mmCIF file of all heavy atoms in Angstrom:
data_model
loop_
_atom_site.group_PDB
_atom_site.id
_atom_site.type_symbol
_atom_site.label_atom_id
_atom_site.label_comp_id
_atom_site.label_asym_id
_atom_site.label_seq_id
_atom_site.Cartn_x
_atom_site.Cartn_y
_atom_site.Cartn_z
ATOM 1 N N GLY R 1 -43.315 -41.102 -35.214
ATOM 2 C CA GLY R 1 -41.958 -40.941 -34.810
ATOM 3 C C GLY R 1 -41.650 -41.387 -33.400
ATOM 4 O O GLY R 1 -42.612 -41.692 -32.642
ATOM 5 N N GLY R 2 -40.343 -41.460 -33.104
ATOM 6 C CA GLY R 2 -39.923 -41.941 -31.827
ATOM 7 C C GLY R 2 -38.524 -42.263 -31.710
ATOM 8 O O GLY R 2 -37.695 -41.849 -32.619
ATOM 9 N N LEU R 3 -38.142 -42.966 -30.739
ATOM 10 C CA LEU R 3 -36.752 -43.318 -30.406
ATOM 11 C C LEU R 3 -36.535 -44.825 -30.694
ATOM 12 O O LEU R 3 -37.311 -45.661 -30.304
ATOM 13 C CB LEU R 3 -36.338 -43.034 -29.002
ATOM 14 C CG LEU R 3 -35.027 -43.534 -28.530
ATOM 15 C CD1 LEU R 3 -33.836 -42.742 -29.296
ATOM 16 C CD2 LEU R 3 -34.842 -43.297 -26.998
ATOM 17 N N VAL R 4 -35.522 -45.186 -31.485
ATOM 18 C CA VAL R 4 -35.127 -46.456 -31.848
ATOM 19 C C VAL R 4 -33.691 -46.720 -31.946
ATOM 20 O O VAL R 4 -32.963 -45.772 -32.207
ATOM 21 C CB VAL R 4 -35.885 -46.922 -33.214
ATOM 22 C CG1 VAL R 4 -35.191 -46.072 -34.450
ATOM 23 C CG2 VAL R 4 -35.695 -48.358 -33.512
ATOM 24 N N GLN R 5 -33.232 -47.890 -31.594
ATOM 25 C CA GLN R 5 -31.808 -48.219 -31.683
ATOM 26 C C GLN R 5 -31.354 -48.424 -33.089
ATOM 27 O O GLN R 5 -32.168 -48.836 -34.027
ATOM 28 C CB GLN R 5 -31.484 -49.413 -30.874
ATOM 29 C CG GLN R 5 -31.498 -49.200 -29.347
ATOM 30 C CD GLN R 5 -30.931 -50.327 -28.558
ATOM 31 O OE1 GLN R 5 -30.837 -51.427 -29.094
ATOM 32 N NE2 GLN R 5 -30.583 -50.136 -27.391
ATOM 33 N N ALA R 6 -30.079 -48.182 -33.403
ATOM 34 C CA ALA R 6 -29.492 -48.360 -34.660
ATOM 35 C C ALA R 6 -29.797 -49.889 -35.158
ATOM 36 O O ALA R 6 -29.663 -50.814 -34.309
ATOM 37 C CB ALA R 6 -28.064 -48.128 -34.798
ATOM 38 N N GLY R 7 -30.200 -50.079 -36.336
ATOM 39 C CA GLY R 7 -30.544 -51.353 -36.833
ATOM 40 C C GLY R 7 -31.981 -51.764 -36.700
ATOM 41 O O GLY R 7 -32.443 -52.684 -37.343
ATOM 42 N N GLY R 8 -32.754 -50.956 -35.960
ATOM 43 C CA GLY R 8 -34.078 -51.122 -35.793
ATOM 44 C C GLY R 8 -34.993 -50.556 -36.839
ATOM 45 O O GLY R 8 -34.545 -50.036 -37.888
ATOM 46 N N SER R 9 -36.314 -50.680 -36.678
ATOM 47 C CA SER R 9 -37.262 -50.226 -37.677
ATOM 48 C C SER R 9 -38.291 -49.313 -37.055
ATOM 49 O O SER R 9 -38.540 -49.363 -35.813
ATOM 50 C CB SER R 9 -37.949 -51.421 -38.318
ATOM 51 O OG SER R 9 -37.068 -52.279 -38.958
ATOM 52 N N LEU R 10 -38.862 -48.490 -37.935
ATOM 53 C CA LEU R 10 -39.831 -47.540 -37.433
ATOM 54 C C LEU R 10 -40.888 -47.328 -38.614
ATOM 55 O O LEU R 10 -40.447 -47.286 -39.847
ATOM 56 C CB LEU R 10 -39.262 -46.241 -36.969
ATOM 57 C CG LEU R 10 -40.110 -45.340 -36.094
ATOM 58 C CD1 LEU R 10 -40.335 -46.003 -34.752
ATOM 59 C CD2 LEU R 10 -39.281 -44.016 -35.860
ATOM 60 N N GLY R 11 -42.139 -47.073 -38.286
ATOM 61 C CA GLY R 11 -43.078 -46.793 -39.422
ATOM 62 C C GLY R 11 -43.751 -45.446 -39.188
ATOM 63 O O GLY R 11 -44.186 -45.122 -38.025
ATOM 64 N N LEU R 12 -43.705 -44.601 -40.237
ATOM 65 C CA LEU R 12 -44.348 -43.308 -40.184
ATOM 66 C C LEU R 12 -45.564 -43.242 -41.047
ATOM 67 O O LEU R 12 -45.613 -43.872 -42.111
ATOM 68 C CB LEU R 12 -43.362 -42.226 -40.628
ATOM 69 C CG LEU R 12 -41.941 -42.134 -40.020
ATOM 70 C CD1 LEU R 12 -41.185 -40.986 -40.640
ATOM 71 C CD2 LEU R 12 -42.142 -41.899 -38.498
ATOM 72 N N SER R 13 -46.546 -42.489 -40.629
ATOM 73 C CA SER R 13 -47.783 -42.350 -41.418
ATOM 74 C C SER R 13 -48.223 -40.919 -41.499
ATOM 75 O O SER R 13 -47.832 -40.100 -40.653
ATOM 76 C CB SER R 13 -48.969 -43.116 -40.764
ATOM 77 O OG SER R 13 -48.736 -44.442 -40.786
ATOM 78 N N CYS R 14 -48.833 -40.629 -42.656
ATOM 79 C CA CYS R 14 -49.304 -39.200 -42.892
ATOM 80 C C CYS R 14 -50.704 -39.291 -43.517
ATOM 81 O O CYS R 14 -50.882 -39.965 -44.442
ATOM 82 C CB CYS R 14 -48.341 -38.491 -43.775
ATOM 83 S SG CYS R 14 -48.948 -36.868 -44.411
ATOM 84 N N ALA R 15 -51.579 -38.579 -42.815
ATOM 85 C CA ALA R 15 -52.979 -38.489 -43.361
ATOM 86 C C ALA R 15 -53.210 -37.085 -43.938
ATOM 87 O O ALA R 15 -52.962 -36.080 -43.328
ATOM 88 C CB ALA R 15 -53.967 -38.781 -42.204
ATOM 89 N N ALA R 16 -53.628 -37.075 -45.214
ATOM 90 C CA ALA R 16 -53.954 -35.835 -45.943
ATOM 91 C C ALA R 16 -55.449 -35.674 -45.952
ATOM 92 O O ALA R 16 -56.200 -36.625 -46.278
ATOM 93 C CB ALA R 16 -53.396 -35.871 -47.313
ATOM 94 N N SER R 17 -55.904 -34.533 -45.729
ATOM 95 C CA SER R 17 -57.338 -34.134 -45.820
ATOM 96 C C SER R 17 -57.546 -32.787 -46.406
ATOM 97 O O SER R 17 -56.614 -31.974 -46.625
ATOM 98 C CB SER R 17 -57.939 -34.169 -44.410
ATOM 99 O OG SER R 17 -57.391 -33.256 -43.543
ATOM 100 N N GLY R 18 -58.739 -32.525 -46.833
ATOM 101 C CA GLY R 18 -59.072 -31.295 -47.540
ATOM 102 C C GLY R 18 -59.198 -31.467 -49.078
ATOM 103 O O GLY R 18 -59.633 -32.538 -49.533
ATOM 104 N N ASN R 19 -58.815 -30.443 -49.817
ATOM 105 C CA ASN R 19 -58.854 -30.571 -51.238
ATOM 106 C C ASN R 19 -57.720 -31.187 -51.859
ATOM 107 O O ASN R 19 -56.687 -30.542 -52.272
ATOM 108 C CB ASN R 19 -59.062 -29.094 -51.833
ATOM 109 C CG ASN R 19 -60.338 -28.435 -51.349
ATOM 110 O OD1 ASN R 19 -61.349 -29.119 -51.188
ATOM 111 N ND2 ASN R 19 -60.334 -27.174 -51.123
ATOM 112 N N ILE R 20 -57.813 -32.487 -51.986
ATOM 113 C CA ILE R 20 -56.718 -33.332 -52.634
ATOM 114 C C ILE R 20 -57.152 -33.590 -54.039
ATOM 115 O O ILE R 20 -58.141 -34.245 -54.293
ATOM 116 C CB ILE R 20 -56.544 -34.642 -51.800
ATOM 117 C CG1 ILE R 20 -56.318 -34.362 -50.364
ATOM 118 C CG2 ILE R 20 -55.316 -35.293 -52.374
ATOM 119 C CD1 ILE R 20 -55.215 -33.419 -50.018
ATOM 120 N N PHE R 21 -56.323 -33.128 -55.012
ATOM 121 C CA PHE R 21 -56.598 -33.375 -56.470
ATOM 122 C C PHE R 21 -55.842 -34.593 -56.942
ATOM 123 O O PHE R 21 -54.918 -35.049 -56.351
ATOM 124 C CB PHE R 21 -56.218 -32.097 -57.177
ATOM 125 C CG PHE R 21 -56.942 -30.846 -56.699
ATOM 126 C CD1 PHE R 21 -56.202 -29.804 -56.170
ATOM 127 C CD2 PHE R 21 -58.303 -30.789 -56.878
ATOM 128 C CE1 PHE R 21 -56.804 -28.680 -55.777
ATOM 129 C CE2 PHE R 21 -58.904 -29.646 -56.472
ATOM 130 C CZ PHE R 21 -58.196 -28.546 -55.864
ATOM 131 N N SER R 22 -56.333 -35.085 -58.060
ATOM 132 C CA SER R 22 -55.834 -36.353 -58.544
ATOM 133 C C SER R 22 -54.371 -36.272 -59.073
ATOM 134 O O SER R 22 -53.640 -37.267 -58.985
ATOM 135 C CB SER R 22 -56.769 -36.864 -59.763
ATOM 136 O OG SER R 22 -56.709 -35.952 -60.737
ATOM 137 N N SER R 23 -53.923 -35.120 -59.585
ATOM 138 C CA SER R 23 -52.603 -34.954 -60.054
ATOM 139 C C SER R 23 -51.712 -34.445 -58.872
ATOM 140 O O SER R 23 -51.651 -33.245 -58.567
ATOM 141 C CB SER R 23 -52.534 -33.967 -61.115
ATOM 142 O OG SER R 23 -51.219 -33.779 -61.621
ATOM 143 N N ASN R 24 -51.086 -35.447 -58.172
ATOM 144 C CA ASN R 24 -50.398 -35.117 -56.990
ATOM 145 C C ASN R 24 -49.204 -36.071 -56.773
ATOM 146 O O ASN R 24 -49.266 -37.187 -57.198
ATOM 147 C CB ASN R 24 -51.225 -34.912 -55.756
ATOM 148 C CG ASN R 24 -51.716 -36.245 -55.219
ATOM 149 O OD1 ASN R 24 -50.944 -37.116 -54.623
ATOM 150 N ND2 ASN R 24 -53.008 -36.529 -55.363
ATOM 151 N N THR R 25 -48.256 -35.618 -56.007
ATOM 152 C CA THR R 25 -47.155 -36.456 -55.514
ATOM 153 C C THR R 25 -47.098 -36.300 -54.004
ATOM 154 O O THR R 25 -47.186 -35.175 -53.493
ATOM 155 C CB THR R 25 -45.805 -36.048 -56.122
ATOM 156 O OG1 THR R 25 -45.872 -36.222 -57.501
ATOM 157 C CG2 THR R 25 -44.747 -36.988 -55.596
ATOM 158 N N LEU R 26 -47.020 -37.399 -53.246
ATOM 159 C CA LEU R 26 -46.746 -37.324 -51.819
ATOM 160 C C LEU R 26 -45.245 -37.751 -51.564
ATOM 161 O O LEU R 26 -44.804 -38.638 -52.141
ATOM 162 C CB LEU R 26 -47.718 -38.299 -51.130
ATOM 163 C CG LEU R 26 -49.126 -37.778 -51.020
ATOM 164 C CD1 LEU R 26 -50.043 -38.916 -50.661
ATOM 165 C CD2 LEU R 26 -49.246 -36.675 -49.947
ATOM 166 N N ASP R 27 -44.675 -36.993 -50.657
ATOM 167 C CA ASP R 27 -43.287 -37.121 -50.326
ATOM 168 C C ASP R 27 -42.981 -37.142 -48.891
ATOM 169 O O ASP R 27 -43.823 -36.637 -48.015
ATOM 170 C CB ASP R 27 -42.483 -36.017 -51.008
ATOM 171 C CG ASP R 27 -42.959 -35.621 -52.403
ATOM 172 O OD1 ASP R 27 -42.776 -36.454 -53.272
ATOM 173 O OD2 ASP R 27 -43.475 -34.461 -52.528
ATOM 174 N N TRP R 28 -41.861 -37.648 -48.529
ATOM 175 C CA TRP R 28 -41.299 -37.620 -47.218
ATOM 176 C C TRP R 28 -39.989 -36.798 -47.294
ATOM 177 O O TRP R 28 -39.134 -37.243 -48.107
ATOM 178 C CB TRP R 28 -41.079 -38.905 -46.526
ATOM 179 C CG TRP R 28 -42.326 -39.560 -46.081
ATOM 180 C CD1 TRP R 28 -43.058 -40.567 -46.736
ATOM 181 C CD2 TRP R 28 -42.984 -39.314 -44.865
ATOM 182 N NE1 TRP R 28 -44.133 -40.922 -46.020
ATOM 183 C CE2 TRP R 28 -44.099 -40.236 -44.851
ATOM 184 C CE3 TRP R 28 -42.756 -38.522 -43.787
ATOM 185 C CZ2 TRP R 28 -45.038 -40.210 -43.817
ATOM 186 C CZ3 TRP R 28 -43.651 -38.491 -42.685
ATOM 187 C CH2 TRP R 28 -44.757 -39.342 -42.737
#
């Protein structure tokens, strides 16, 4: 996350750890 001007781009990432099962959905 951060500050960006209108029209610009940004990339977000999420790292999941622990007991992650195969039947899942990841969302923002």
Side-chain angles (χ1 to χ4, degrees):
L3 175 64
V4 64
Q5 288 190 342
S9 299
L10 200 64
L12 306 180
S13 296
C14 173
S17 62
N19 296 325
I20 310 301
F21 302 114
S22 60
S23 180
N24 72 73
T25 300
L26 284 165
D27 317 296
W28 285 98

